[in-house]
Each structure stands twice: as C-alpha cells, then as structure tokens.
Amino acid sequence: MKAWKPVWRWLTASVAFAGLIAVAIVVLGRKSDQKPPGGASAAGQPATKAPKAAPSSAGDEALVNRMLDQIRADKPVEPQFPAGDNPASGVPIAAIKAKPGEQLGLGRLVIPRLALNDELNNGVDDAALEHGVGHWPGTPLPGSPGNSVISGHRSTHDKPFLYLEKLRPGDPIKVTVGARTTTYKVFKTTIVPQAQYVKFVLRQPTDPGVKEITLFACNPITAHIQRIVVQARAA
C-alpha cells in the first residue's frame, strides 16, 4: 500500500486541479452570456442606451449630452474643464493685449477671503493671464478714478478666480500698483451672458471721481457661456 500512496496523491491533486479549471470555465461562460460582444444583451437583443442624465443647468446641457455620447461611443471624453478657458473670448486681440514694449507686470491683487495673492499683469490676453490676473488695457489703472477691469482664469493655469462666486458684499479687495495700494469693498456680483459681458464690464461710473474695480471670469466652469462679474468700490 505504501507504494500506491504517491500515485494516489497525484491522482487527487489532478482531480482537484481539473475541478478548478471546470469552475473557471463555467464562470467565464456565464460572464460572456451576460455581456456578449457587440453590445447585445443576454437575450441577443441590442442593448438599450442609458437615459440621458438631467443637466445641472440649462447652460451645461450641451456639454453633458456631448460627454454622454462620447462615453457610449467608447471615445475619449473631453475634460470637465475645457481647455478654452478664455475670459476675454470674442474680443479683438488689439483691445485686450498691452502694446509692444509695455511692462507686463503692474503689481499685485490680494483678496483675503479667497486666500489670493497674485501677480497683476497688463493685458487680459493669454500671455498676461498665464501666471496671474490681468488688467484690461484702456481702463483706468487700479487706484485711479473710474472703473478698472481685471480678469483671470477659473479652470486653467493657476485658477486665481476659481472661487470668485464666494465673494460677498463688504469683502475687501486690495490692489497694489507701484507704491500705491488701494482697498476696494465688494458691492455686487452678477452673471452676464457672454454676448453682453464686454459692454457690461467696461462700463464706467457716472461720477468721474468714483474709484471702482471689476473682476470677471468665465462661468459656469463646465461650459463658459457666461461671465461672473464682481464689482467693488474704494471707500
């Protein structure tokens, strides 16, 4: 009997191994029945499309539907934050870019509520906004009478204006240009359609002695069909 023990052990191990292989084949076979190739159901019928998700807002509807179509077609899905985060979209470059030879850096923008302390550059074109926020050329410099217009990205580069909507009336905004620092207090936040934002943000106060500042950025973050505009006034 001792001579038969190695053979018996070998037969037992072989049977157990064969059993494991059989179980694996059955499991894999069931999975293939549940998810046959070609998108068909287990009954051989074409798989029905998942219902479209309700958009979070009317402005997001086109983006949501487009992303769903990309998922269903097994195509790469575009990023949630589009690469075209351009607050000054639709404006001629000559109106938003500083003149050749002008100093790019103007000073700094500080917003305590947003923990923001960023470089202020001259221009709201891509070059000016790449490393900070930008001043719209042709509008008064911060600290001067009139409405000084400043723009920044919300979803690309350093995202300085990502949380612009968190500003509340009375929040301070400090701007330093040269040796002069001016403190403004927020008084209004507005959402403006893209087609109307240029005229809105460039509007100057009726009182020529008033010092105002206007911050604007793309809105909503996922669609960029509007602009969020924050207005503040110096005491």
Side-chain angles (χ1 to χ4, degrees):
M1 291 296 293
K2 290 183 178 179
W4 284 95
K5 284 185 178 180
V7 176
W8 178 255
R9 289 174 181 172
W10 179 83
L11 288 173
T12 303
S14 298
V15 171
F17 182 69
L20 289 174
I21 293 177
V23 171
I25 292 173
V26 170
V27 171
L28 292 175
R30 288 177 178 175
K31 287 186 176 180
S32 63
D33 288 340
Q34 292 170 358
K35 295 182 179 180
S41 65
Q45 299 297 324
T48 57
K49 291 184 177 181
K52 293 184 177 181
S56 57
S57 68
D60 290 340
E61 183 175 358
L63 178 66
V64 170
N65 290 337
R66 189 164 64 249
M67 291 175 71
L68 285 172
D69 290 339
Q70 291 164 346
I71 291 172
R72 291 167 182 149
D74 291 328
K75 295 180 179 179
V77 180
E78 63 188 274
Q80 182 181 10
F81 299 146
D85 177 20
N86 180 7
S89 176
V91 183
I93 190 66
I96 60 176
K97 185 176 177 63
K99 294 179 181 179
E102 286 186 329
Q103 183 180 4
L104 186 63
L106 292 178
R108 301 202 64 84
L109 174 72
V110 176
I111 306 178
R113 179 179 287 276
L114 306 185
L116 174 67
N117 186 336
D118 219 338
E119 180 180 347
L120 174 63
N121 295 315
N122 195 15
V124 293
D125 57 299
D126 288 340
L129 300 184
E130 185 175 356
H131 299 295
V133 297
H135 167 257
W136 194 309
T139 66
L141 285 175
S144 302
N147 175 31
S148 177
V149 181
I150 295 177
S151 182
H153 289 301
R154 294 189 79 190
S155 63
T156 58
H157 299 92
D158 294 334
K159 308 176 186 178
F161 285 170
L162 175 60
Y163 299 113
L164 203 60
E165 77 282 355
K166 294 184 180 296
L167 290 176
R168 298 291 181 265
D171 284 346
I173 298 174
K174 298 181 180 180
V175 188
T176 300
V177 174
R180 179 175 57 186
T181 298
T182 306
T183 300
Y184 300 83
K185 294 292 183 68
V186 174
F187 69 86
K188 190 176 184 180
T189 298
T190 311
I191 302 297
V192 184
Q194 178 170 296
Q196 302 173 17
Y197 87 90
V198 174
K199 183 178 180 180
F200 186 89
V201 301
L202 295 180
R203 185 169 53 197
Q204 295 296 312
T206 55
D207 185 345
V210 170
K211 299 178 182 179
E212 291 186 354
I213 192 170
T214 297
L215 313 180
F216 77 96
C218 293
N219 189 79
I221 295 175
T222 56
H224 301 168
I225 58 173
Q226 305 161 335
R227 297 297 180 271
I228 181 170
V229 182
V230 174
Q231 296 170 283
R233 185 177 295 122

